[in-house]
Amino acid sequence: MSTLVWPQIAAPELIKEEESTLARELAWILSSLQDTLQSLKAGLEECAALLAPSEPGSTLVLSSLRSENLKGFITRVGTRIVKGDIQLRLPSVPVPRGQPSYKLSISTQPTAPTLALEQLTTTRTLINACLDVVDATRWTGDATNADFISGQIRLLHENIQEAKAALKGWTPSQKLWYDDPVDPAAFTPALPANLSFHLCISEAAVLVHVRTLEATGSNTGTSTPHSVSANPGSVAAPSYTGFSIRDRLAGVLRGGKQVVHDEAHEVFVYKGQEVRVKEKVRVESQDPSLMAAMAKLGALERNVALARRALDVVMGRDGEEG
């Protein structure tokens, strides 16, 4: 079955009518996008509020799976970790006499270095950029200029994707633990030189990695590792067996083998020194605010993608890349 236009329209007139129809469709979608932008702004403001530094913040419980190697809590306010107490029970971390575990406490002194989550800083910056794009599109640009609106929607889409990726984690721009050492003065007492504490975000959860380190012994002409010196400026004496007396005694008393982890045979450059990771603990703590923000960003990303797709179709850009 076919559909015919009767009476028939001449080809030039038909082209003119098609162009007129497309112009009306384009004007309609540009007008409707103003409402879409207003809705997007409300969603972005909700995401910004979830990441804002509001008291009392989010207190997250930390507990290692199937062991008591790490227990404690941290408190996040905005992009910063402002409070935290962590108890470590690792064979390579000496426990003070009379204490059940080694305690790491995040310093609350006003002069202490800030313990910040760079991924959250990136996410907040991108969300604020999205809000600026929405305001510029609605109030300072030409709402009837399809090319302008298309460019703004594309920029908005890219920023939202990057903000979501920052909360998801493991992006190419994310710093790795050995490239982003924590300032020891962020803890009270100061973090030992042979201990690495690293925070990052993965799937809207806060990941805490604690590693005990030992120097590779490359400066001694042997590949046998030795312990990282407690004083950053001094050189530790090599251990030709690969274990200190304390570690060997701990191994005998515990009656177990040295724990093997995914970084056990790798060499890293940490604070200008080649090191190996002796022990590693990974703890994941779900953050409800971050989970809500990532879910909202996902919904906003889909809405912007649909708006961008619809505008491209009407503009005749359907199927174009980018």
Side-chain angles (χ1 to χ4, degrees), residues 171-185:
T171 60
S173 61
Q174 183 176 336
K175 290 183 180 179
L176 300 175
W177 67 270
Y178 48 84
D179 292 326
D180 188 28
V182 170
D183 191 325

Side-chain angles (χ1 to χ4, degrees), residues 266-310:
E266 297 185 51
V267 175
F268 304 94
V269 177
Y270 181 76
K271 296 184 178 180
Q273 186 177 16
E274 287 190 355
V275 299
R276 287 192 177 95
V277 179
K278 197 168 188 179
E279 288 188 278
K280 174 183 174 182
V281 182
R282 176 187 183 277
V283 175
E284 175 180 330
S285 186
Q286 297 291 337
D287 190 317
S289 295
L290 301 187
M291 293 172 65
M294 191 168 79
K296 288 180 182 293
L297 286 172
L300 293 172
E301 179 190 7
R302 290 189 293 272
N303 289 341
V304 175
L306 289 173
R308 184 179 175 187
R309 165 85 172 169

Side-chain angles (χ1 to χ4, degrees), residues 9-278:
I9 301 176
E13 186 68 21
L14 182 60
I15 293 174
K16 183 179 179 181
E17 289 296 330
E18 288 176 350
E19 291 176 347
S20 177
T21 300
L22 285 175
R24 290 194 297 271
E25 288 180 353
L26 184 57
W28 176 83
I29 197 169
L30 290 174
S31 176
S32 65
L33 280 176
Q34 296 300 308
D35 295 333
T36 301
L37 288 169
Q38 185 175 357
S39 176
L40 290 173
K41 182 178 181 179
L44 289 166
E45 288 174 341
E46 291 177 2
C47 293
L50 288 168
L51 300 178
S54 56
E55 296 290 349
S58 301
T59 298
L60 309 175
V61 176
L62 304 175
S63 181
S64 52
L65 294 174
R66 297 182 295 276
S67 73
E68 294 188 355
N69 289 341
L70 187 151
K71 284 188 174 183
F73 75 93
I74 54 175
T75 300
R76 179 185 65 81
V77 176
T79 61
R80 300 181 301 117
I81 303 299
V82 299
K83 189 186 300 182
D85 282 313
I86 297 170
Q87 305 289 337
L88 288 178
R89 290 184 180 178
L90 296 173
S92 57
V93 178
V95 176
R97 182 173 297 178
Q99 300 295 323
S101 58
Y102 187 90
K103 185 176 181 181
L104 291 176
S105 296
I106 295 174
S107 178
T108 57
Q109 296 297 322
T111 57
T114 300
L115 198 58
L117 290 160
E118 185 178 347
Q119 291 165 259
L120 296 187
T121 302
T122 300
T123 302
R124 289 193 65 195
T125 300
L126 289 166
I127 289 174
N128 290 333
C130 288
L131 289 168
D132 291 340
V133 171
V134 171
D135 287 340
T137 307
R138 293 185 65 203
W139 305 113
T140 63
D142 184 358
T144 62
N145 186 328
D147 289 325
F148 168 73
I149 297 297
S150 177
Q152 294 294 96
I153 293 294
R154 176 177 179 175
L155 179 59
L156 185 61
H157 191 207
E158 291 172 352
N159 284 343
I160 290 177
Q161 285 179 318
E162 290 181 22
K164 180 186 171 185
L167 284 182
K168 191 175 181 65
W170 312 115
T171 60
S173 61
Q174 183 176 336
K175 290 183 180 179
L176 300 175
W177 67 270
Y178 48 84
D179 292 326
D180 188 28
V182 170
D183 191 325
F187 293 84
T188 303
L191 193 69
N194 69 328
L195 206 61
S196 165
F197 183 89
H198 187 252
L199 288 164
C200 64
I201 304 295
S202 176
E203 299 293 346
V206 176
L207 291 187
V208 176
H209 286 95
V210 176
R211 296 171 173 89
T212 57
L213 309 175
E214 57 185 6
T216 60
S218 57
N219 295 331
T220 66
T222 174
S223 60
T224 304
H226 57 81
S227 298
V228 176
S229 171
N231 298 317
S234 63
V235 178
S239 171
Y240 296 102
T241 63
F243 297 92
S244 67
I245 294 176
R246 181 188 295 112
D247 295 334
R248 284 185 291 172
L249 286 175
V252 171
L253 292 175
R254 287 176 174 81
K257 296 182 180 180
Q258 191 174 17
V259 178
V260 178
H261 51 82
D262 60 336
E263 297 174 343
H265 303 294
E266 297 185 51
V267 175
F268 304 94
V269 177
Y270 181 76
K271 296 184 178 180
Q273 186 177 16
E274 287 190 355
V275 299
R276 287 192 177 95
V277 179
K278 197 168 188 179

